[in-house]
Amino acid sequence: MIAETNPEKMYQAMKAKLANVVPDFELKIKAELAAEINRLKAEKNAVILGHNYMEAALFNSVPDFVGDSLELARKAAQTDKDIIVFCGVRFMAETAKILNPGKTVLLPSEKAGCSLAASITAEDVRELKRRFPGVPVVTYVNTYADVKAESDICCTSGNAQAVVESLNTETVIFIPDEYLAKNVAKETGKHIIFPTMDPRKKFEGELDYQMIGWLGRCEVHDKFTVEDIENVRKQFPDVTILAHPECSPEVVAASDFSGSTGAMIRFVENSSAPHYLLLTECAMGDNIAAANPDKDMLRLCSVRCPHMNQITLEDTLESLRKNQYVIEIPEDILQRAARSVERMIAIG
Ligand code: 13P
Ligand code: SF4
């Protein structure tokens, strides 16, 4: 975070961090916005949380804390500020609200959704529970509060395996990301089925499965292919490739490392490969390049997250000025969702 409220000093501080990734004329405009955001943040006793996918000018200026979904959920649980401005997508802001029911949580854009969160409803989960009674439901945090409310425990890409193993049960329902579920099934040695592939098929009588998945996908990570990896390796034989676990198991297997956005950042920081390629939202490559000017980050930027990219410094300033967009969750849903989020946080 840069704590400046003076636009010129803010510009100089941002330039020192971002001269190699953001053009100078844009930095001047962004610095003015960032300085005003900092002034309002102090006036309103707000905290700003920024996901690792935020564009470089935002990520490197106003957030008090940056991180992956799990790290930001933990920060949200600890804050004593009155207002939380979540520079991320709706499900993340909802998680912050679930952990802080008495505080105002703001999401700077109403359009910041997520294809995974949109892939499943609370009624879908109730139907799965009817079909597989007594089987605990592990729900990826990339879901809305009403889906979390139907679940036993949440997980993120940073702790999915640990959460599944913490349950100590033979079988789990793991929703809604098909690829994350397949990747976790591989790591934990569980055989996974997808009842929605053939709704007429009666899996209930079969004994040879330990995971029940759903067919949701991230519209960004779904696009990366093994062919992309082969092409990049042909051009850069000594590249190190990192894939988010929302990528297909084939892409993860063809990569050198897989982990949450936070784990990917730490991997790059702690290694010294000649080139890196991140198979995830492209803005994160800029953020790593800004913090590590000595590292050569290759980018595949034709695939962008349209939701994360909604959040800009302009919207963040409007959010603080107008107190928008306030996250509201009905009380009964909030209380039930809190149990599954808090159970996840307690795992550590
Ligand atoms: P992380 O939890 O790894 O930050 O991922 C969130 C996300 O939405 C990835 O697409
Ligand atoms: Fe959702 Fe994918 Fe965007 Fe992450 S990158 S917020 S999973 S659509």
Side-chain angles (χ1 to χ4, degrees):
M1 188 204 33
I2 305 171
E4 270 306 330
T5 53
N6 175 298
E8 179 53 32
K9 287 187 183 160
M10 178 56 109
Y11 163 65
Q12 294 300 341
M14 285 173 77
K15 196 173 162 183
K17 280 186 173 188
L18 296 170
N20 63 337
V21 289
V22 183
D24 196 53
F25 80 96
E26 196 184 330
L27 266 183
K28 285 200 171 116
I29 301 166
K30 298 287 183 181
E32 279 191 23
L33 296 165
E36 179 59 7
I37 289 170
N38 277 346
R39 195 191 61 75
L40 273 177
K41 185 169 69 167
E43 186 183 299
K44 297 197 157 190
N45 195 30
V47 63
I48 299 185
L49 304 181
H51 187 260
N52 291 327
Y53 288 165
M54 291 296 100
E55 56 156 341
L58 191 163
F59 183 85
N60 288 282
S61 58
V62 294
D64 298 273
F65 301 102
V66 291
D68 64 22
S69 307
L70 183 59
E71 289 155 355
L72 293 180
R74 290 212 174 100
K75 291 295 176 198
Q78 289 159 5
T79 189
D80 58 357
K81 301 287 183 187
D82 298 325
I83 297 177
I84 300 170
V85 181
F86 212 114
C87 292
V89 291
R90 173 168 290 272
F91 76 79
M92 295 178 178
E94 280 194 356
T95 304
K97 180 70 183 176
I98 288 165
L99 291 165
N100 292 281
K103 296 188 196 299
T104 300
V105 178
L106 303 176
L107 179 66
S109 168
E110 273 189 310
K111 293 184 195 150
C114 170
S115 66
L116 277 170
S119 74
I120 192 161
T121 65
E123 181 47 33
D124 292 330
V125 188
R126 286 192 288 270
E127 179 56 25
L128 278 173
K129 290 198 287 190
R130 279 193 287 271
R131 286 190 69 178
F132 300 94
V135 179
V137 180
V138 179
T139 294
Y140 193 30
V141 281
N142 295 39
T143 45
Y144 294 122
D146 56 345
V147 167
K148 290 186 172 81
E150 296 296 336
S151 311
D152 293 284
I153 187 164
C154 285
C155 74
T156 73
S157 60
N159 63 10
Q161 186 179 343
V163 166
V164 167
E165 284 169 349
S166 78
L167 292 172
N168 265 322
T169 55
E170 176 75 2
T171 314
V172 293
I173 296 172
F174 190 103
I175 51 173
D177 187 345
E178 175 192 343
Y179 289 156
L180 180 63
K182 283 179 171 166
N183 287 322
V184 172
K186 213 168 155 186
E187 285 162 8
T188 53
K190 292 185 184 292
H191 174 62
I192 186 162
I193 56 161
F194 291 89
T196 43
M197 272 178 181
D198 186 353
R200 290 154 306 166
K201 194 170 170 192
K202 288 240 174 297
F203 292 103
E204 288 83 342
E206 293 181 21
L207 295 173
D208 67 337
Y209 63 85
Q210 298 87 37
M211 250 171 118
I212 297 144
W214 188 254
L215 294 175
R217 286 189 191 174
C218 161
E219 65 191 276
V220 177
H221 295 93
D222 188 26
K223 301 271 184 356
F224 298 118
T225 63
V226 173
E227 203 187 341
D228 293 338
I229 294 181
E230 287 167 356
N231 283 333
V232 174
R233 287 206 196 277
K234 237 179 256 160
Q235 193 182 347
F236 300 94
D238 48 6
V239 66
T240 293
I241 299 183
L242 297 86
H244 193 275
E246 288 170 11
C247 293
S248 73
E250 295 76 21
V251 165
V252 168
S255 303
D256 301 297
F257 176 80
S258 179
S260 72
T261 56
M264 289 164 115
I265 292 171
R266 284 187 292 278
F267 182 96
V268 176
E269 278 170 359
N270 296 324
S271 57
S272 54
H275 316 279
Y276 297 90
L277 174 72
L278 306 181
L279 298 177
T280 198
E281 157 59 35
C282 171
M284 209 171 92
D286 287 343
N287 293 333
I288 298 181
N292 304 274
D294 55 317
K295 312 256 173 181
D296 181 29
M297 305 302 297
L298 307 174
R299 329 268 160 96
L300 286 184
C301 288
S302 52
V303 190
R304 304 299 305 260
C305 176
H307 311 287
M308 288 286 184
N309 278 290
Q310 292 292 328
I311 309 294
T312 60
L313 281 168
E314 286 82 349
D315 296 319
T316 306
L317 178 55
E318 284 308 284
S319 175
L320 272 167
R321 274 187 181 145
K322 298 180 181 162
N323 252 24
Q324 67 186 17
Y325 295 91
V326 178
I327 298 290
E328 313 226 42
I329 301 171
E331 188 54 35
D332 63 316
I333 290 180
L334 194 144
Q335 278 185 20
R336 287 187 293 131
R339 281 201 293 268
S340 50
V341 176
E342 278 160 8
R343 203 172 158 194
M344 169 188 82
I345 302 256
I347 282 184

